[in-house]
């Protein structure tokens, strides 16, 4: 369950960055105040946040291409952040976390914080990306 908490910290951080309310470091520190993590999970979350920020524009391009008939800015902000989280985690290729587990975790976060439809939408986008290209 601690990786799920780490992903929640990543989501909170990415959302604050998407809204433009904070810097990466401040957003991450605030998210950690809300959801404290142990050292290992904190490091995991920090790696994902850093990758998501570095790959932000490329991830948005990939999301826009996969979200046929949807403009990126029309997607729910939270859904965009969840997709960025998934793409970042998939791109680091954590050996102990298969892609299916990452996708399932992101879908569960979507169901918890967004909507059932968001979970289905995110599943469709990520499934299509996994079938059609290598995410690395």
């Amino acid at each position: 369950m601690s990786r799920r908490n780490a992903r929640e910290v990543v989501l909170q951080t990415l959302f604050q960055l998407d809204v433009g309310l904070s810097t990466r470091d401040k957003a991450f520190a605030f998210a950690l105040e809300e959801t404290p993590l142990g050292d290992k999970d904190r490091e995991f979350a920090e790696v994902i946040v850093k990758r998501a920020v570095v790959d932000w524009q490329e991830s948005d391009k990939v999301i826009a291409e996969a979200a046929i008939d949807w403009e990126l800015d029309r997607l729910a902000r939270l859904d965009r952040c969840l997709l960025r989280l998934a793409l970042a985690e998939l791109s680091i290729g954590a050996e102990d976390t298969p892609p299916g587990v990452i996708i399932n975790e992101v879908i569960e976060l979507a169901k918890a914080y967004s909507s059932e439809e968001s979970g289905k939408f995110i599943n469709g986008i990520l499934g299509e990306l996994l079938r059609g290209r290598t995410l690395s």
Side-chain angles (χ1 to χ4, degrees):
M1 194 60 137
S2 56
R3 280 264 171 114
R4 179 167 293 178
N5 291 340
R7 289 181 185 98
E8 287 179 1
V9 166
V10 173
L11 179 58
Q12 291 170 357
T13 303
L14 296 180
F15 188 83
Q16 288 182 60
L17 294 174
D18 192 73
V19 173
L21 295 177
S22 190
T23 65
R24 185 189 75 199
D25 292 340
K26 287 181 182 177
F28 189 68
F30 179 78
L32 285 172
E33 287 176 18
E34 297 296 311
T35 309
L37 299 173
D39 290 341
K40 186 176 177 180
D41 293 324
R42 183 183 188 279
E43 289 173 23
F44 171 77
E46 193 165 21
V47 167
I48 302 300
V49 167
K50 284 180 181 179
R51 176 54 70 98
V53 171
V54 167
D55 292 348
W56 195 283
Q57 289 181 333
E58 180 62 27
S59 293
D60 283 358
K61 183 179 171 185
V62 168
I63 294 164
E65 289 173 3
I68 299 168
D69 296 330
W70 281 89
E71 296 294 323
L72 188 65
D73 62 349
R74 286 189 55 221
L75 298 179
R77 187 177 305 271
L78 190 60
D79 294 352
R80 285 194 312 255
C81 292
L82 285 161
L83 287 163
R84 290 175 186 135
L85 183 162
L87 291 173
E89 188 172 353
L90 288 164
S91 73
I92 65 165
E95 294 176 11
D96 60 339
T97 311
V101 171
I102 295 168
I103 291 171
N104 285 337
E105 286 291 318
V106 171
I107 291 166
E108 290 303 314
L109 287 170
K111 290 177 184 177
Y113 295 106
S114 195
S115 69
E116 185 74 29
E117 290 76 29
S118 290
K120 292 175 186 175
F121 176 75
I122 288 168
N123 186 35
I125 296 287
L126 294 175
E128 187 64 30
L129 289 172
L130 283 177
R131 282 188 296 279
R133 63 174 16 176
T134 303
L135 294 172
S136 58

